[in-house]
Amino acid sequence: MQLPPSVYHTFVRPKWFTKKYIQNHIQQHFDFANKKVLDFGAGTGANCTLSSPEHYFGIDPDKRRIDFAQKKYPQYRFGSFSGNEIPADDQSFDFILIIAVLHHIPPEQITNYIKEFKRVLKADGKVVAIEPCFFENSHISNWFMKRYDKGEYIRNEDEYIKYFTAGDFQCTVLKKFKKCFFYNELYFTAFLS
């Protein structure tokens, strides 16, 4: 069962949690000031405040979550989409933000989205991603994520990275960390070679 957007936003993505486990990590490495940001899988919009409203576009296939995000953050731009095409012009973004999205997407769709990321990123653009990840010698956390996470495609580090390198991206792992005792998180960036 999927949580209603307001419940999800309040209990799964509260401000303190989003700040600690997502925004603080990103702001240590990237400055989104005056940069065009595509929030791929924006959900309820919890990460929109990393960017200024005029430079942000959040997309998600879940129209209910996008409608919630638009009401919660009316100064920001959101849109729902379906299929494999990102509703954006070629080379229109400096950054693509992907937070806890890829582990919900089957492998064949990720390959298509990688092509779309390549299309919509500017030549010097970057993908910034934080995903749940299976770590070696982390049996309890790996079991917990398999059992309780709604994402059917949690991967290990190599699997996430290979999707991007197969699409002509270079990748740098910025950090591996544990979130709330049980979740292993992989924080990485990908940029065009």
Side-chain angles (χ1 to χ4, degrees), residues 9 29 36 41 95 103-104 109 171:
H9 192 78
H29 295 97
K36 299 286 251 174
F95 289 99
H103 74 290
H104 293 284
Q109 273 190 296
C171 295

Side-chain angles (χ1 to χ4, degrees), residues 13-173:
R13 288 276 186 246
K15 282 185 185 180
W16 71 267
F17 182 90
T18 301
K19 181 82 173 134
K20 179 175 182 169
Y21 290 111
I22 299 168
Q23 295 178 354
N24 288 347
H25 290 295
I26 292 170
Q27 290 170 329
Q28 287 175 358
H29 295 97
F30 301 101
D31 181 5
F32 291 170
N34 298 314
K35 301 291 184 184
K36 299 286 251 174
V37 176
L38 173 68
D39 190 353
F40 180 78
T44 59
N47 294 304
C48 68
T49 57
L50 283 166
S51 179
S52 61
E54 66 272 14
H55 292 105
Y56 175 89
F57 182 39
I59 61 172
D60 197 285
D62 187 334
K63 185 170 178 0
R64 287 176 51 219
R65 289 188 182 206
I66 287 298
D67 290 345
F68 175 87
Q70 195 64 76
K71 287 177 188 160
K72 180 90 177 156
Y73 305 100
Q75 67 276 36
Y76 287 85
R77 186 168 65 108
F78 296 93
S80 60
F81 76 106
S82 60
N84 294 324
E85 290 185 26
I86 293 173
D89 293 335
D90 294 357
Q91 298 184 356
S92 53
F93 293 99
D94 299 290
F95 289 99
I96 297 174
L97 188 59
I98 305 171
I99 306 299
V101 174
L102 299 176
H103 74 290
H104 293 284
I105 301 174
E108 61 279 2
Q109 273 190 296
I110 286 186
T111 302
N112 289 328
Y113 286 134
I114 297 288
K115 291 175 187 171
E116 282 293 281
F117 298 157
K118 192 173 175 179
R119 179 183 69 79
V120 302
L121 268 179
K122 294 180 181 178
D124 59 348
K126 290 183 170 77
V127 172
V128 177
I130 300 177
E131 286 290 328
C133 185
F134 294 133
F135 290 169
E136 275 189 51
N137 302 317
S138 187
H139 306 296
I140 293 171
S141 291
N142 291 347
W143 172 84
F144 182 87
M145 291 187 299
K146 278 183 197 175
R147 175 119 173 120
Y148 294 105
D149 194 278
K150 298 284 188 233
E152 296 179 31
Y153 306 99
I154 298 175
R155 298 160 171 98
N156 65 36
E157 177 182 332
D158 289 341
E159 291 172 306
Y160 285 118
I161 299 302
K162 280 181 186 174
Y163 285 116
F164 286 89
T165 56
D168 298 325
F169 283 86
Q170 292 182 29
C171 295
T172 301
V173 172

